[in-house]
Amino acid sequence: MEGRRIHITGIVQGVGFRPFVCLLAERLELNGWVRNTSSGVDIEIEGMDAGLETFVEELGRGGPPRAAIERMKVERAGPWGHTGFQIIPSRREEGAFQPVSPDISVCDDCLSEMRDPGDRRYRYPFINCTNCGPRFTIIKDIPYDRLNTTMASFEMCPECAAEYSDPTDRRFHAQPVACPACGPHVWLEEKGAETVEGEEAVSAARKMLTEGRILAMKGLGGFHLACDASNPEAVSTLRSRKQREEKPFALMSYDLETIERHVKVGEADRMLLVSPERPIVLLERSEDSGVAAEVAPGLNRLGFMLPYTPFHYLLLEPEPGFPDVLVMTSGNLSEEPIAYEDEDARRRMTEFADALLFHNRPIHMRCDDPVVGQFRGGAYFFRRSRGYSPFPILLPFESPPLLAVGGEFKNSFCMARENRAFVSHFIGEMDCLEAYRSFEEGVEHYQRLFRIRPRIIAYDLHPDYQSTRYALKRADSENLGVVGVQHHHAHIASCMADNELSGDSPVIGVSFDGTGYGTDGAIWGGELLIADYDGFTRAAHLAYCPLPGGDSAIRSPYRTALSWLRKAGVEWSDDLPPVKVAGSDELALLDRQLAKELNAPPTSSMGRLFDAAASLAGLRHRIAYEAQAACELEAAASPGEEGAYPFEFSDDTIDPSPLIVALVSDLRSGESIPEISARFHNGVAAMVARMCISLRSSHDIEQVALSGGVWQNLLLLNRTVSLLENAGFTVYVHRRVPANDGGLALGQAVVAARRLRQGQVRATGTELDEER
């Protein structure tokens, strides 16, 4: 007889790990116990040596499907004389922490039971087990026990309690376990009054959707707004009420077969759609799709997801006359965070939803749906949130307790300690008061959950970002160290950390986006950096071009196009689309503004060059959402076109003037928009390859990292990566966080951690600002 003490860290709570350990020990006739702690899972086990060796070996293979073991420490100890094997009460450890499981889509076993008329959970919207169901959105604190979740107020009935206590049952220690007798329930409200509940509520909601009405539905991490996606009038009404003019809506269908009738689904796409995370996947629209054009105006891709809760499955059940595709968009006004509390939903959504479908399981932390594309067989993130957050990213070195606050747009923050970075769920646009409050709520929750009291706050150098103001104000009040990180350096550091690079060797960082505060006070966005975690050198950049009116030029790409025409020496003649849009009075004003450089900040932004090209091609002159012009330019590109527009290269400056001249020439020659768009994309990809080859020659660097919002353009990404690889480079792209500003905080965190290790952070409350 021998004994072992085992301590395991990783995603080992809320994933059925203790039941797995218990069943394994019983099968091998071993005695002892297992428990959750604030730092992971502890096991004390004894038995014959052969059985113990088998136990440790099988445990090391990973445990249940959704578990992720990071470390397993095994010590010889005992034996103690235990009888049998049991799960004992959890132990809270002061200051200790461990990762928390993201929410998991409903499993096939639960769906089978929900569809079985003989099962006691037949058609129950909240069926779950140890392999599926809510996790992060209901956890208030660790250890992960029912008392620390929003299910604490639901006392288990005898039948559920028996399942919860039975080691052979799939619901053994499933914390959200419930049934119709003891768990949450649903009801429908119209005009502020409850009308029906239970199955009748779901039926009434389905009838409303069939009639073309708009429904607000409480889901896993917040409320959705739903309508019939094939009904143009319903979609247009939803757009009007939600104040979302043209930004595409997400879609949900009951099964893969339905989705495949509307979009082209490859094998890699299929794997993403059916994965336990159930993201929204961007897919090329089929020509014969019945989805209304109003769902995604001007775009050739639709964002589809499968149901991920039993509640969704009940709502979308196929039936003659019922819509096979529903719009399933975030329950909010445009750019506000998703509503997740009942009273807040009544206040915010009663005006634009015809009815609200509620349930009474509280949501502790709002969490929007994730959005991914597919790149080389894997997920390429546009938004990282439900199903993925707060799964940690392992860092290549130890980090002190710190907070990185991210940027202003598509905000996510990052908390780090030891070798883990916890990138938050999607927050949104920080210039919105509701989003700022959501940011504060999220920071407080992550600090409590992961026992992090920051010693340092890292932030973007832009002085007007709300996240920057939060960082400096908090650092001043709490005497914390602060680290300002230049925007594009943070992007490249994020890509490096996303790919687990040690940072011992620099990379050529190609950071392309719309806006980032430069060290010279200008707006950067077309940057080639020689970078590592310690710092960067600006090796080359897009030529500066004035933005007439600043932010108004961002909202009106024709203004940027006119500025680039002027810089390229092309006359503002009436045959050019942006000239037609502006009109004579505005043209005269812009001419004076550019000549005198009044309210026309210089920018090296690649995002703005995409805007200018879209306007010059006649595609988009005013935008209703960020990057709309670039998205439509990408959608228009001809896949077979191989021509490429040229750039001019001089020292550290990349001048697109020849590109502008060539584009105008093609336009006047009658070339089609698809050909113009493809030549533009090909030209940018070729320029990147040429510059990286030049920098390899001068700096002897073979590694390239691509980051920044422009790299969300999958057409550009694919063509650029292929050219770079053909030239012999090792190319790194994002794999676990977005290339856009949703991944910015990870880069800020690793730069700040590295500086502290090297003693580069000054006294508390003092900005280092080394980037300047």
Coordinates of all heavy atoms in Angstrom, one line a residue, residues 338-392:
I338 N -24.4 44.6 -24.4 CA -25.6 43.7 -24.4 C -26.3 43.8 -23.0 O -25.6 43.8 -22.0 CB -25.1 42.2 -24.7 CG1 -26.4 41.3 -24.8 CG2 -24.2 41.7 -23.6 CD1 -26.0 40.0 -25.4
A339 N -27.6 43.9 -23.0 CA -28.4 44.0 -21.8 C -28.4 42.6 -21.2 O -28.5 41.6 -21.9 CB -29.8 44.4 -22.1
Y340 N -28.3 42.5 -19.8 CA -28.2 41.2 -19.2 C -29.1 41.1 -17.9 O -29.3 40.0 -17.4 CB -26.8 40.7 -18.9 CG -26.1 41.5 -17.7 CD1 -25.9 40.8 -16.5 CD2 -25.7 42.8 -17.9 CE1 -25.3 41.5 -15.5 CE2 -25.1 43.5 -16.8 CZ -24.9 42.8 -15.6 OH -24.3 43.4 -14.6
E341 N -29.5 42.2 -17.4 CA -30.3 42.2 -16.2 C -31.8 42.5 -16.6 O -32.1 43.3 -17.5 CB -29.8 43.3 -15.2 CG -28.5 43.0 -14.6 CD -27.9 44.1 -13.8 OE1 -28.1 45.3 -14.1 OE2 -27.4 43.8 -12.7
D342 N -32.7 41.8 -15.9 CA -34.1 41.9 -16.3 C -34.7 43.3 -16.3 O -35.3 43.7 -17.3 CB -35.0 41.0 -15.4 CG -34.7 39.5 -15.5 OD1 -33.9 39.2 -16.4 OD2 -35.2 38.7 -14.7
E343 N -34.5 44.0 -15.2 CA -35.0 45.4 -15.2 C -34.4 46.3 -16.2 O -35.0 47.2 -16.8 CB -34.8 46.0 -13.8 CG -35.8 45.4 -12.7 CD -37.2 45.6 -13.2 OE1 -37.6 46.7 -13.7 OE2 -38.0 44.6 -13.0
D344 N -33.1 46.1 -16.4 CA -32.4 46.9 -17.5 C -32.9 46.6 -18.8 O -33.1 47.5 -19.7 CB -30.9 46.6 -17.4 CG -30.1 47.4 -18.4 OD1 -30.3 48.7 -18.5 OD2 -29.2 46.9 -19.1
A345 N -33.2 45.3 -19.1 CA -33.8 44.9 -20.4 C -35.2 45.5 -20.6 O -35.5 46.0 -21.7 CB -33.9 43.4 -20.4
R346 N -36.0 45.5 -19.5 CA -37.3 46.2 -19.6 C -37.2 47.6 -19.9 O -37.9 48.2 -20.8 CB -38.1 46.0 -18.3 CG -38.6 44.6 -18.0 CD -39.4 44.5 -16.8 NE -39.9 43.1 -16.5 CZ -39.3 42.3 -15.6 NH1 -38.2 42.8 -14.9 NH2 -39.7 41.1 -15.4
R347 N -36.2 48.3 -19.3 CA -36.0 49.7 -19.5 C -35.5 50.0 -20.9 O -36.0 51.0 -21.6 CB -35.1 50.3 -18.5 CG -34.7 51.7 -18.6 CD -33.8 52.2 -17.5 NE -32.5 51.5 -17.6 CZ -31.5 51.8 -18.4 NH1 -31.6 52.8 -19.2 NH2 -30.4 51.1 -18.3
R348 N -34.6 49.2 -21.4 CA -33.9 49.5 -22.6 C -34.5 48.9 -23.9 O -34.3 49.5 -25.0 CB -32.4 49.0 -22.6 CG -31.6 49.7 -21.5 CD -30.2 49.0 -21.3 NE -29.4 48.9 -22.5 CZ -28.3 48.2 -22.5 NH1 -27.9 47.5 -21.5 NH2 -27.6 48.2 -23.6
M349 N -35.3 47.8 -23.7 CA -35.7 47.1 -24.9 C -37.2 47.1 -25.2 O -37.7 46.7 -26.2 CB -35.2 45.7 -24.9 CG -33.7 45.7 -25.2 SD -33.1 44.0 -25.5 CE -33.3 43.3 -23.9
T350 N -38.0 47.6 -24.2 CA -39.5 47.6 -24.4 C -39.9 48.4 -25.6 O -40.8 48.0 -26.3 CB -40.2 48.1 -23.1 OG1 -39.8 47.2 -22.0 CG2 -41.7 48.1 -23.3
E351 N -39.1 49.4 -25.9 CA -39.5 50.3 -27.0 C -39.2 49.7 -28.4 O -39.9 50.0 -29.4 CB -38.7 51.6 -26.9 CG -39.2 52.5 -25.7 CD -38.5 53.8 -25.7 OE1 -37.7 54.1 -26.6 OE2 -38.7 54.6 -24.7
F352 N -38.3 48.7 -28.5 CA -38.0 48.2 -29.8 C -38.2 46.7 -29.9 O -37.9 46.1 -31.0 CB -36.6 48.6 -30.3 CG -35.5 48.4 -29.4 CD1 -34.8 47.2 -29.3 CD2 -35.0 49.4 -28.5 CE1 -33.7 47.0 -28.5 CE2 -34.0 49.2 -27.7 CZ -33.3 48.0 -27.6
A353 N -38.7 46.0 -28.9 CA -39.1 44.6 -29.0 C -40.6 44.6 -28.7 O -41.1 45.2 -27.9 CB -38.3 43.8 -28.0
D354 N -41.3 43.7 -29.5 CA -42.8 43.6 -29.4 C -43.1 42.8 -28.1 O -44.2 42.9 -27.6 CB -43.4 43.0 -30.6 CG -43.2 43.8 -31.8 OD1 -43.5 45.0 -31.8 OD2 -42.7 43.3 -32.9
A355 N -42.2 41.9 -27.7 CA -42.3 41.1 -26.5 C -41.0 40.7 -26.0 O -40.0 40.7 -26.7 CB -43.2 39.9 -26.8
L356 N -40.9 40.4 -24.7 CA -39.7 40.0 -24.0 C -39.9 38.6 -23.5 O -40.8 38.3 -22.7 CB -39.2 40.9 -22.9 CG -38.7 42.3 -23.4 CD1 -39.8 43.3 -23.7 CD2 -37.8 42.9 -22.3
L357 N -39.0 37.6 -23.8 CA -39.0 36.3 -23.4 C -38.0 36.1 -22.3 O -36.8 36.1 -22.5 CB -38.7 35.3 -24.5 CG -38.9 33.8 -24.2 CD1 -40.4 33.5 -23.8 CD2 -38.6 33.0 -25.5
F358 N -38.4 36.0 -21.0 CA -37.6 36.0 -19.8 C -37.3 34.6 -19.3 O -38.1 33.7 -19.5 CB -38.2 36.9 -18.7 CG -38.1 38.4 -18.9 CD1 -39.2 39.1 -19.4 CD2 -37.0 39.0 -18.5 CE1 -39.1 40.4 -19.6 CE2 -36.9 40.4 -18.7 CZ -38.0 41.1 -19.2
H359 N -36.3 34.5 -18.5 CA -36.1 33.4 -17.5 C -35.6 34.0 -16.3 O -35.1 35.1 -16.2 CB -35.3 32.2 -18.1 CG -33.8 32.6 -18.4 ND1 -32.9 32.8 -17.4 CD2 -33.2 32.7 -19.5 CE1 -31.7 33.1 -17.9 NE2 -31.9 33.0 -19.2
N360 N -35.6 33.2 -15.2 CA -35.3 33.8 -13.9 C -33.9 33.2 -13.3 O -33.7 33.2 -12.1 CB -36.4 33.6 -12.8 CG -36.7 32.1 -12.6 OD1 -36.5 31.2 -13.4 ND2 -37.2 31.8 -11.4
R361 N -33.1 32.7 -14.2 CA -31.7 32.3 -13.8 C -30.9 33.6 -14.0 O -30.6 34.0 -15.1 CB -31.1 31.2 -14.6 CG -29.7 30.8 -14.1 CD -29.2 29.6 -14.9 NE -28.9 29.9 -16.3 CZ -28.9 29.0 -17.3 NH1 -29.1 27.8 -17.0 NH2 -28.7 29.4 -18.5
P362 N -30.4 34.2 -12.9 CA -29.6 35.4 -13.0 C -28.3 35.2 -13.8 O -27.7 34.2 -13.7 CB -29.3 35.8 -11.6 CG -30.4 35.1 -10.8 CD -30.6 33.8 -11.5
I363 N -28.0 36.2 -14.6 CA -26.7 36.3 -15.3 C -25.8 37.2 -14.4 O -26.1 38.3 -14.2 CB -26.8 36.8 -16.7 CG1 -27.8 36.0 -17.5 CG2 -25.5 37.0 -17.4 CD1 -28.2 36.6 -18.9
H364 N -24.7 36.6 -14.0 CA -23.8 37.4 -13.2 C -22.8 38.3 -14.0 O -22.6 39.5 -13.6 CB -22.9 36.6 -12.3 CG -22.1 37.3 -11.3 ND1 -22.6 38.1 -10.3 CD2 -20.7 37.5 -11.2 CE1 -21.7 38.7 -9.6 NE2 -20.5 38.4 -10.2
M365 N -22.3 37.8 -15.1 CA -21.4 38.6 -16.0 C -21.9 38.5 -17.4 O -22.0 37.4 -18.0 CB -20.0 38.0 -15.8 CG -18.9 38.8 -16.6 SD -18.9 40.6 -16.3 CE -18.9 40.7 -14.5
R366 N -22.3 39.7 -18.0 CA -22.7 39.7 -19.4 C -21.6 39.2 -20.3 O -20.4 39.4 -20.0 CB -23.2 41.1 -19.8 CG -22.1 42.1 -20.0 CD -22.7 43.4 -20.4 NE -22.7 44.3 -19.2 CZ -23.5 45.4 -19.2 NH1 -24.4 45.6 -20.1 NH2 -23.5 46.2 -18.1
C367 N -22.0 38.6 -21.4 CA -21.0 38.0 -22.3 C -21.6 37.8 -23.7 O -22.5 37.0 -23.9 CB -20.5 36.6 -21.8 SG -18.9 36.2 -22.3
D368 N -21.1 38.6 -24.6 CA -21.7 38.6 -26.0 C -21.2 37.4 -26.7 O -20.3 36.7 -26.3 CB -21.2 39.9 -26.7 CG -22.4 40.5 -27.5 OD1 -23.1 39.7 -28.1 OD2 -22.4 41.8 -27.6
D369 N -21.8 37.2 -27.9 CA -21.4 36.1 -28.8 C -20.1 36.3 -29.5 O -19.8 37.4 -29.9 CB -22.5 35.8 -29.8 CG -23.8 35.3 -29.2 OD1 -23.7 34.5 -28.3 OD2 -24.8 35.8 -29.6
P370 N -19.2 35.3 -29.6 CA -17.9 35.5 -30.3 C -18.2 35.4 -31.8 O -19.1 34.8 -32.3 CB -17.1 34.3 -29.8 CG -18.1 33.2 -29.6 CD -19.4 33.9 -29.1
V371 N -17.2 36.1 -32.5 CA -17.3 36.1 -34.0 C -16.0 35.6 -34.5 O -14.9 36.2 -34.2 CB -17.7 37.5 -34.6 CG1 -17.8 37.4 -36.1 CG2 -18.9 38.0 -33.9
V372 N -16.0 34.6 -35.5 CA -14.7 34.1 -36.0 C -14.9 34.0 -37.5 O -16.0 33.8 -38.1 CB -14.3 32.8 -35.4 CG1 -14.2 32.9 -33.9 CG2 -15.3 31.7 -35.8
G373 N -13.7 34.1 -38.2 CA -13.6 33.6 -39.6 C -12.8 32.3 -39.6 O -12.5 31.8 -38.5
Q374 N -12.5 31.8 -40.7 CA -11.7 30.6 -40.8 C -10.5 30.9 -41.6 O -10.5 31.4 -42.7 CB -12.5 29.5 -41.4 CG -11.8 28.1 -41.5 CD -11.1 27.9 -42.8 OE1 -9.9 27.7 -42.8 NE2 -11.8 27.9 -43.9
F375 N -9.3 30.6 -41.0 CA -8.0 30.8 -41.7 C -7.2 29.6 -41.5 O -6.9 29.2 -40.4 CB -7.3 32.0 -41.1 CG -5.9 32.3 -41.7 CD1 -5.9 32.7 -43.0 CD2 -4.8 32.0 -41.0 CE1 -4.6 33.0 -43.6 CE2 -3.5 32.2 -41.6 CZ -3.5 32.7 -42.9
R376 N -7.0 28.9 -42.6 CA -6.1 27.7 -42.7 C -6.6 26.6 -41.7 O -5.8 26.1 -41.0 CB -4.7 28.1 -42.5 CG -4.1 28.9 -43.6 CD -2.6 29.1 -43.6 NE -2.2 29.7 -44.8 CZ -0.9 30.0 -45.1 NH1 0.0 29.6 -44.2 NH2 -0.6 30.6 -46.2
G377 N -7.9 26.5 -41.6 CA -8.5 25.4 -40.9 C -8.8 25.7 -39.4 O -9.4 24.9 -38.7
G378 N -8.4 26.9 -38.9 CA -8.7 27.2 -37.6 C -9.5 28.5 -37.4 O -9.7 29.2 -38.4
A379 N -9.9 28.8 -36.2 CA -10.6 30.0 -35.9 C -9.7 31.2 -36.0 O -8.6 31.2 -35.5 CB -11.3 29.9 -34.5
Y380 N -10.2 32.2 -36.7 CA -9.5 33.5 -36.7 C -10.5 34.6 -36.2 O -11.5 34.8 -36.7 CB -9.2 33.9 -38.2 CG -8.3 35.1 -38.3 CD1 -6.9 35.0 -38.0 CD2 -8.7 36.3 -38.8 CE1 -6.1 36.1 -38.1 CE2 -7.9 37.4 -39.0 CZ -6.6 37.3 -38.6 OH -5.8 38.4 -38.7
F381 N -10.1 35.1 -35.0 CA -11.1 35.9 -34.2 C -11.3 37.3 -34.7 O -10.4 38.0 -35.0 CB -10.6 35.9 -32.7 CG -10.8 34.7 -32.0 CD1 -9.8 33.7 -32.0 CD2 -12.0 34.4 -31.3 CE1 -10.0 32.5 -31.3 CE2 -12.2 33.2 -30.6 CZ -11.2 32.3 -30.6
F382 N -12.6 37.6 -34.8 CA -13.0 39.0 -34.9 C -13.5 39.6 -33.6 O -13.4 40.7 -33.3 CB -14.2 39.1 -36.0 CG -13.7 38.9 -37.4 CD1 -13.4 37.6 -37.8 CD2 -13.6 39.9 -38.3 CE1 -12.9 37.3 -39.1 CE2 -13.2 39.7 -39.6 CZ -12.8 38.4 -40.0
R383 N -14.1 38.7 -32.8 CA -14.5 39.1 -31.4 C -14.4 37.8 -30.6 O -15.0 36.8 -30.9 CB -16.0 39.6 -31.5 CG -16.5 40.1 -30.1 CD -17.8 40.8 -30.2 NE -18.9 40.0 -30.5 CZ -20.1 40.5 -31.0 NH1 -20.2 41.7 -31.3 NH2 -21.1 39.7 -31.2
R384 N -13.7 37.9 -29.5 CA -13.5 36.8 -28.5 C -14.3 37.1 -27.3 O -14.2 38.1 -26.6 CB -12.0 36.7 -28.2 CG -11.7 35.5 -27.2 CD -10.2 35.6 -26.9 NE -9.7 34.4 -26.2 CZ -9.6 34.3 -24.9 NH1 -9.9 35.4 -24.1 NH2 -9.1 33.2 -24.3
S385 N -15.3 36.1 -27.0 CA -16.2 36.4 -25.9 C -16.7 35.0 -25.4 O -15.9 34.1 -25.1 CB -17.3 37.4 -26.3 OG -17.8 38.0 -25.2
R386 N -18.0 34.9 -25.3 CA -18.7 33.7 -24.8 C -18.1 32.4 -25.4 O -17.9 32.3 -26.6 CB -20.2 33.8 -25.1 CG -21.0 32.7 -24.4 CD -21.7 31.8 -25.4 NE -22.1 32.3 -26.7 CZ -21.9 31.6 -27.8 NH1 -21.3 30.4 -27.7 NH2 -22.3 32.0 -28.9
G387 N -17.8 31.4 -24.5 CA -17.3 30.2 -25.0 C -15.8 30.1 -25.0 O -15.2 29.0 -25.0
Y388 N -15.1 31.3 -25.1 CA -13.7 31.4 -25.1 C -13.1 32.1 -23.8 O -12.1 31.7 -23.3 CB -13.2 32.1 -26.3 CG -13.5 31.3 -27.6 CD1 -14.7 31.7 -28.3 CD2 -12.8 30.3 -28.1 CE1 -15.0 31.0 -29.5 CE2 -13.1 29.6 -29.3 CZ -14.2 30.0 -30.0 OH -14.6 29.3 -31.1
S389 N -13.8 33.2 -23.4 CA -13.3 33.9 -22.3 C -14.0 33.3 -21.0 O -15.1 32.8 -21.1 CB -13.8 35.4 -22.4 OG -13.2 36.0 -23.5
P390 N -13.2 33.2 -19.9 CA -11.9 33.8 -19.7 C -10.8 32.8 -19.7 O -9.9 32.8 -18.9 CB -12.1 34.3 -18.2 CG -12.9 33.2 -17.6 CD -13.9 32.7 -18.7
F391 N -10.8 31.9 -20.7 CA -9.7 30.9 -20.8 C -8.4 31.6 -20.9 O -8.2 32.5 -21.7 CB -10.0 30.0 -22.1 CG -9.2 28.7 -22.0 CD1 -9.8 27.6 -21.5 CD2 -7.9 28.7 -22.5 CE1 -9.1 26.4 -21.5 CE2 -7.2 27.5 -22.5 CZ -7.8 26.3 -22.0
P392 N -7.4 31.2 -20.1 CA -6.2 32.0 -20.0 C -5.3 31.7 -21.2 O -5.3 30.6 -21.8 CB -5.5 31.5 -18.7 CG -6.0 30.1 -18.6 CD -7.5 30.1 -19.1

